[in-house]
């Protein structure tokens, strides 16, 4: 028996000696998202307690492992550690991937930062969530006015349409978290249907260089985004309450986000805003109130290698239009324009009567992504939007509560793109887009329909390549092609049809010409729109950067430009389009010199934009109708040149004091007629002194001066009108711009800790401190009233 145990022990020891324990695990630790190496990541074999740290190439090596199964833990700073089970049989090479953006994602949640460049060779302007929270009660257009080169086309103070480098409407594309907004943007008094409280940051690109979003953004692209939600167990939210003296109203918005370590998350948000009549320094602006409500719901799962998200939002706004801007006879038109005060002034009220707009916008979207090793990230998105626009004019009798314009626009959008990292220096983006859109103009309004029923089909394809030549030089090139097919059904007045020679040019599209004084036509139009971009970014002296970009953009005419033939009620004017319009084609060259440093930063951005077949709308006369006298505005095509420069600078005077300056200038010219373009923004400059002390409750104080120069270059669109009451002919001056003006404003905020997880930010602002009377050239109601007077605003934000 003793001999048996000795033999067994000898055999066991021989087996142990013969086992191979000379295996080695080598490999890399890299980022889950973009495969960048992670230095000093710790790789631990739990059974043997062996530890290795990754080197500057992200590589590690652990030797002396047997043929068995091991548990390996991989850890890196600001990452969630991961545990892997590895069966060792011989030498193994293994790549471990960690989620290295958790801390960065938390930063995005708190500060609303965007980490992805949209265009590598064009200057991008960003608005953070902190700035959005300060302006919670304002519109998207108002917030964008804080960016140099961005102004607004206003209808009063509540309908604010962004202008980028002198261009607006269909030339400015608004992307709402990856989906292009389709909300009847053709009207000069149609504001974007977006609640800024439902987004976390905004990026503005001046021009069409970001081809993955659109090829027809001749003016630029506004990109709104939601912050990424971290992959961790958390529950957080915020509530913002504002109150203002001008308009005697305010807003409240609240949101709550729940996330899980498994990757699941959900977010709910809602806002409401209510103001009554606003006031100019010397009088009430009757019927200028606004009532806005919005709601959004977001949820999905993010597994880093794959994910899916569903989103829904409802935006509803009722907006009053200055009652004094809707007049009857020619005599009233002349009196109103020549008067220093509105012809219609009533006492303050929260009621919103005709004329007003009532717009409802639904947006539903589902998007998903899947990462494929050595291929890239494949993204898919489907979106549906419904925009219902009601415009109410001043009517009499039983029809006074009936809309004069009722448009319902339904849009289905499909997107498929691949974001691929070909090598450490080369990235490629490829994409396909498809869209189907239908517009229904309700005939029950009893008013001649300005925009007809139509079906529109869009298809697009694009490719963008980024190549990093070396540490200083980056090159970007891209191309895109879009096809648009438009199938419309419209009644034309026979007199208008014949005056344009449509009876000869488009006789084949007439369905029925026997409707008395009308012609029923079925225009079917095709548009082919190529776009391209090429640019360079050169970095030198550590903090200097030079960006050059050339972009070719082409835009198909929108339905208003093609089909308008009648009274546009909320604009209070008759508009005429033209079926013969071609696509606009723009060639833009921009150059940016940029410096980013701790003490002094600046950017200088000159540009020139040549636009062939530019579509412009201008006033031509006053026309008598049974509703009264209305200005007639007519679209026409010409060639245009826009030349301008945007300048930004920031100088840190001390650790707490900073001086900022902005200057913008754009000159628009009709090169065919050798005259200035209408509605070009006047030159403007902003100067601000900012005090910020993070140690003193993050105290923030800002005094800002804004000076808007007089627009001295404008076309002469004045015309004569016969006033029957006096039997005289009067000049209607709608061209001469108002005088220059200077405004002062003050902004402040401070943070207070309420508990470990709750904080309160109190803000107090004053705009137009000296209650200055002024009129902005780009405010469509400037003919009838002054702009807003002094306003005191308080803002309370609770983070929890």
């Amino acid at each position: 028996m003793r001999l048996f145990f000795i033999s067994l022990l000898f055999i066991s020891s021989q087996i142990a000696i013969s086992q191979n324990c000379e295996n080695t695990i080598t490999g890399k630790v890299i980022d889950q998202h973009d495969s960048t190496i992670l230095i000093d990541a710790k790789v631990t074999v739990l059974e043997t307690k062996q530890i290795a740290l990754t080197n500057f190439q992200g590589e590690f090596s652990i030797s002396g492992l047997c043929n068995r199964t091991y548990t390996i833990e991989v850890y890196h700073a600001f990452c969630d550690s991961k545990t892997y089970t590895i069966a060792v049989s011989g030498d193994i090479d293994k790549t471990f991937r960690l989620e290295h953006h958790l801390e960065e994602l938390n930063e995005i949640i708190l500060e609303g930062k965007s980490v992805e460049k949209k265009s590598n060779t064009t200057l991008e302007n960003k608005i953070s969530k902190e700035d959005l929270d300060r302006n919670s009660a304002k519109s998207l257009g108002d917030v964008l006015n804080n960016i140099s080169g961005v102004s607004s086309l206003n209808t009063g103070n509540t309908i604010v349409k962004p202008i980028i480098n002198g261009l607006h409407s269909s030339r400015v594309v608004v992307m709402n978290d990856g989906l292009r907004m389709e909300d009847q943007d053709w009207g000069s008094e149609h504001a974007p249907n977006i609640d800024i409280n439902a987004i976390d940051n905004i990026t503005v690109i001046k021009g069409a260089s970001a081809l993955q979003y659109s090829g027809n953004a001749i003016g630029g692209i506004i990109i709104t985004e939601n912050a990424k939600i971290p992959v961790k167990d958390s529950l957080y939210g915020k509530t913002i309450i504002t109150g203002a003296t001008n308009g005697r109203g305010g807003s409240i918005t609240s949101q709550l986000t729940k996330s899980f370590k498994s990757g699941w998350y959900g977010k709910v948000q809602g806002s409401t805003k209510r103001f009554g009549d606003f006031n100019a320094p010397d009088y009430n602006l009757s019927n200028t109130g606004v009532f806005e409500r919005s709601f959004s719901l977001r949820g999905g799962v993010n597994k880093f290698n794959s994910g899916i998200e569903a989103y829904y939002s409802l935006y509803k706004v009722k907006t009053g239009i200055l009652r004094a801007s809707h007049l009857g006879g020619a005599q009233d038109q002349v009196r109103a324009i020549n008067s220093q005060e509105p012809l219609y002034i009533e006492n303050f009220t929260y009621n919103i009567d005709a004329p007003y707009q009532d717009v409802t916008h639904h947006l539903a979207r589902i998007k998903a992504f899947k990462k494929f090793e050595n291929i890239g990230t494949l993204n898919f998105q489907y979106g549906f939007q419904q925009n219902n626009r009601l415009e109410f004019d001043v009517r009499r009798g039983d029809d006074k509560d009936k809309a004069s314009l009722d448009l319902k626009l339904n849009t289905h959008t499909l997107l498929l793109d691949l974001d691929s990292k070909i090598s450490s220096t080369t990235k490629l983006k490829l994409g396909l887009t498809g869209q189907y859109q239908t517009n229904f103009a309700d005939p029950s309004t009893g008013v001649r329909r300005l925009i007809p029923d139509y079906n529109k089909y869009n298809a697009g394809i694009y490719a963008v390549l980024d190549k990093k030549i070396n540490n200083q030089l980056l090159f970007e090139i891209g191309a895109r092609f879009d096809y648009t097919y438009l199938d419309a059904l419209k009644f034309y007045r026979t007199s208008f049809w014949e005056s344009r020679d449509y009876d000869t040019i488009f006789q084949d599209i007439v369905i029925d010409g026997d409707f008395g004084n009308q012609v029923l036509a079925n225009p079917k139009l095709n548009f082919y729109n190529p776009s391209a971009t090429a640019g360079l970014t050169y970095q030198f002296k550590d903090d200097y950067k030079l960006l050059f970009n050339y972009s070719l953009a082409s835009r198909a005419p929108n339905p208003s430009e093609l089909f308008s033939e009648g009274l546009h009620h909320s604009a209070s004017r008759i508009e005429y389009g033209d079926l013969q319009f071609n696509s606009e084609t723009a060639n833009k060259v921009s150059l940016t010199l940029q410096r980013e440093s701790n003490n002094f930063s600046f950017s200088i951005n000159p540009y020139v934009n040549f636009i062939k077949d530019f579509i412009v709308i201008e006033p031509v006369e006053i026309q008598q109708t049974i509703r009264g006298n209305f200005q007639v505005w007519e679209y026409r095509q010409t060639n245009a040149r826009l030349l301008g420069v945007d300048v930004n600078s920031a100088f840190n005077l001390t650790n707490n004091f900073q001086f900022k300056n902005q200057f913008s200038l754009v000159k628009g010219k009709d090169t065919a007629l050798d005259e200035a373009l209408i509605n070009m923004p006047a030159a403007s400059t902003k100067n601000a002194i900012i005090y910020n002390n993070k140690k003193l409750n993050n105290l923030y104080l800002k005094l800002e001066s804004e000076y808007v120069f007089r627009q001295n270059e404008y076309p002469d669109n004045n015309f004569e009108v016969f006033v029957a009451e006096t039997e005289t002919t009067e000049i209607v001056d709608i061209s001469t711009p108002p005088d220059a003006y200077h405004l002062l404003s003050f902004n402040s905020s401070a943070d207070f800790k309420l508990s470990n997880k709750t904080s309160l930010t109190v803000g107090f602002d004053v705009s137009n401190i000296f209650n200055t009377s002024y009129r902005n050239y780009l405010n469509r109601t400037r003919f009838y009233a002054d702009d807003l007077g002094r306003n005191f605003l308080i803002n309370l934000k609770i983070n929890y």
Side-chain angles (χ1 to χ4, degrees), residues 530-558:
S531 306
T533 186
L536 292 169
T537 296
Y538 177 65
Q539 188 160 351
F540 59 101
K541 292 185 178 179
D542 295 331
D543 50 5
Y544 284 89
K545 190 180 292 185
L546 186 66
L547 298 92
F548 167 82
N549 181 266
Y550 161 76
S551 63
L552 164 70
S554 56
R555 179 186 73 89
N558 65 44

Side-chain angles (χ1 to χ4, degrees), residues 122 206-211 214-219 221 477-482 528-535 548-555 583-590 608-612:
T122 304
K206 301 166 186 175
S209 59
L211 294 181
S214 175
N216 61 2
I218 290 176
I221 303 173
I477 188 170
R480 182 179 177 118
F481 180 79
D482 290 279
Y528 306 90
N529 299 112
S531 306
T533 186
F548 167 82
N549 181 266
Y550 161 76
S551 63
L552 164 70
S554 56
R555 179 186 73 89
S583 292
E584 289 180 341
T585 303
N587 289 272
K588 183 175 184 179
V589 177
S590 67
V608 61
N609 198 354
F610 297 96
I611 308 176
K612 181 184 177 182

Side-chain angles (χ1 to χ4, degrees), residues 106-118:
N106 292 337
E107 183 178 302
I108 293 172
I109 290 296
L110 296 176
E111 300 185 19
K113 292 184 179 179
S114 176
V115 297
E116 180 186 358
K117 288 278 289 181
K118 319 301 179 186

Side-chain angles (χ1 to χ4, degrees), residues 494-751:
T494 303
S495 58
F496 179 84
W497 183 263
E498 294 175 350
S499 69
R500 294 294 178 98
D501 291 329
Y502 287 173
D503 54 332
T504 301
I505 302 171
F506 296 112
Q507 57 181 323
D508 57 327
I509 68 172
V510 175
I511 296 177
D512 196 333
D514 296 327
F515 280 93
N517 63 348
Q518 295 189 101
V519 173
L520 178 60
N522 179 208
K524 296 181 180 180
L525 306 172
N526 296 277
F527 299 97
Y528 306 90
N529 299 112
S531 306
T533 186
L536 292 169
T537 296
Y538 177 65
Q539 188 160 351
F540 59 101
K541 292 185 178 179
D542 295 331
D543 50 5
Y544 284 89
K545 190 180 292 185
L546 186 66
L547 298 92
F548 167 82
N549 181 266
Y550 161 76
S551 63
L552 164 70
S554 56
R555 179 186 73 89
N558 65 44
S560 177
E561 295 162 340
L562 292 167
F563 304 123
S564 289
E565 188 241 339
L567 182 61
H568 189 176
H569 295 275
S570 66
S572 188
R573 68 190 189 192
I574 294 170
E575 297 178 1
Y576 291 138
D578 197 322
L579 274 176
Q580 302 178 76
F581 283 160
N582 302 314
S583 292
E584 289 180 341
T585 303
N587 289 272
K588 183 175 184 179
V589 177
S590 67
L591 185 69
T592 303
L593 176 62
Q594 183 179 16
R595 185 195 185 198
E596 293 182 339
S597 70
N598 293 330
N599 295 321
F600 177 57
S601 300
F602 70 85
S603 67
I604 304 173
N605 175 217
Y607 60 89
V608 61
N609 198 354
F610 297 96
I611 308 176
K612 181 184 177 182
D613 292 325
F614 182 72
I615 301 174
V616 62
I617 184 170
E618 294 174 329
V620 293
E621 63 178 350
I622 280 186
Q623 189 175 109
Q624 177 72 42
T625 73
I626 59 173
R627 277 271 292 104
N629 286 69
F630 292 93
Q631 295 179 21
V632 177
W633 288 61
E634 189 168 334
Y635 290 102
R636 65 178 178 89
Q637 279 197 305
T638 186
N639 294 326
R641 183 193 67 215
L642 285 85
L643 181 68
V645 62
D646 300 327
V647 179
N648 295 273
S649 62
F651 182 67
N652 291 329
L653 304 173
T654 67
N655 290 333
N656 301 119
F657 279 97
Q658 183 183 53
F659 172 78
K660 283 189 173 183
N661 168 264
Q662 292 181 355
F663 174 77
S664 297
L665 172 69
V666 59
K667 299 287 187 181
K669 188 172 184 179
D670 183 332
T671 56
L673 297 181
D674 193 25
E675 67 177 23
L677 287 174
I678 193 173
N679 286 340
M680 285 290 109
S684 65
T685 183
K686 291 182 179 181
N687 295 280
I689 292 288
I690 300 171
Y691 175 81
N692 189 203
N693 191 333
K694 295 187 181 296
K695 296 180 180 179
L696 188 61
N697 295 102
N698 195 25
L699 179 64
Y700 177 90
L701 304 173
K702 176 182 177 184
L703 181 65
E704 183 177 79
S705 163
E706 178 183 13
Y707 186 83
V708 178
F709 295 82
R710 185 179 186 272
Q711 176 58 275
N712 292 320
E713 298 183 9
Y714 56 94
D716 183 1
N717 296 122
N718 296 336
F719 46 80
E720 294 182 342
V721 61
F722 177 73
V723 181
E725 290 85 349
T726 60
E727 295 186 350
T728 59
T729 299
E730 303 282 351
I731 295 292
V732 180
D733 185 358
I734 57 174
S735 300
T736 305
D739 294 333
Y741 60 89
H742 178 228
L743 302 176
L744 280 178
S745 63
F746 172 76
N747 308 95
S748 65
S749 66
D751 298 339

Side-chain angles (χ1 to χ4, degrees), residues 469-500:
I469 308 300
N470 52 45
N471 290 333
Q472 293 178 298
L473 186 62
L474 182 143
F475 175 70
E476 181 178 63
I477 188 170
R480 182 179 177 118
F481 180 79
D482 290 279
Y483 167 70
T484 301
Y485 173 70
L486 195 57
D487 184 357
L489 195 65
K490 178 173 174 60
F491 283 97
Y492 284 91
R493 288 180 297 112
T494 303
S495 58
F496 179 84
W497 183 263
E498 294 175 350
S499 69
R500 294 294 178 98

Side-chain angles (χ1 to χ4, degrees), residues 160-178:
V160 186
K161 196 173 191 69
I163 299 177
I164 299 178
N165 289 159
L167 300 173
H168 59 84
S169 299
S170 298
R171 301 180 185 96
V172 173
V173 171
V174 180
M175 301 294 299
N176 188 353
D177 202 22

Side-chain angles (χ1 to χ4, degrees), residues 83-243:
T83 302
Y84 300 86
T85 301
I86 305 295
V88 176
S89 178
D91 293 340
I92 291 178
D93 186 75
K94 186 72 175 177
T95 298
F96 298 110
R97 298 176 181 271
L98 293 183
E99 168 50 48
H100 185 57
H101 294 290
L102 289 177
E103 186 67 20
E104 188 177 71
L105 290 174
N106 292 337
E107 183 178 302
I108 293 172
I109 290 296
L110 296 176
E111 300 185 19
K113 292 184 179 179
S114 176
V115 297
E116 180 186 358
K117 288 278 289 181
K118 319 301 179 186
S119 174
N120 288 303
T121 59
T122 304
L123 179 66
E124 296 181 359
N125 298 98
K126 298 182 183 296
I127 297 178
S128 69
K129 187 57 182 172
E130 187 178 50
D131 289 331
L132 291 174
D133 288 346
R134 284 197 184 103
N135 296 279
S136 176
K138 294 184 179 180
S139 68
L140 176 67
D142 287 324
V143 173
L144 293 174
N145 272 333
N146 294 318
I147 295 176
S148 64
V150 181
S151 48
S152 60
L153 185 64
N154 288 37
T155 299
N157 54 283
T158 53
I159 301 175
V160 186
K161 196 173 191 69
I163 299 177
I164 299 178
N165 289 159
L167 300 173
H168 59 84
S169 299
S170 298
R171 301 180 185 96
V172 173
V173 171
V174 180
M175 301 294 299
N176 188 353
D177 202 22
L179 189 64
R180 176 171 177 159
M181 290 294 293
E182 299 289 347
D183 50 4
Q184 306 281 8
D185 62 0
W186 45 265
S188 59
E189 80 302 341
H190 298 183
N193 298 144
I194 293 180
D195 175 18
I196 65 168
N197 297 292
I199 56 181
D200 293 304
N201 60 75
I202 302 174
T203 302
V204 174
I205 301 174
K206 301 166 186 175
S209 59
L211 294 181
Q212 65 267 36
Y213 298 105
S214 175
N216 61 2
I218 290 176
I221 303 173
I222 300 166
I223 303 169
T224 71
E225 295 174 298
N226 282 304
K228 296 177 182 178
I229 295 176
V231 183
K232 59 190 294 187
D233 292 325
S234 63
L235 177 66
Y236 54 92
K238 69 178 178 183
T239 297
I240 303 175
I241 302 172
T242 66

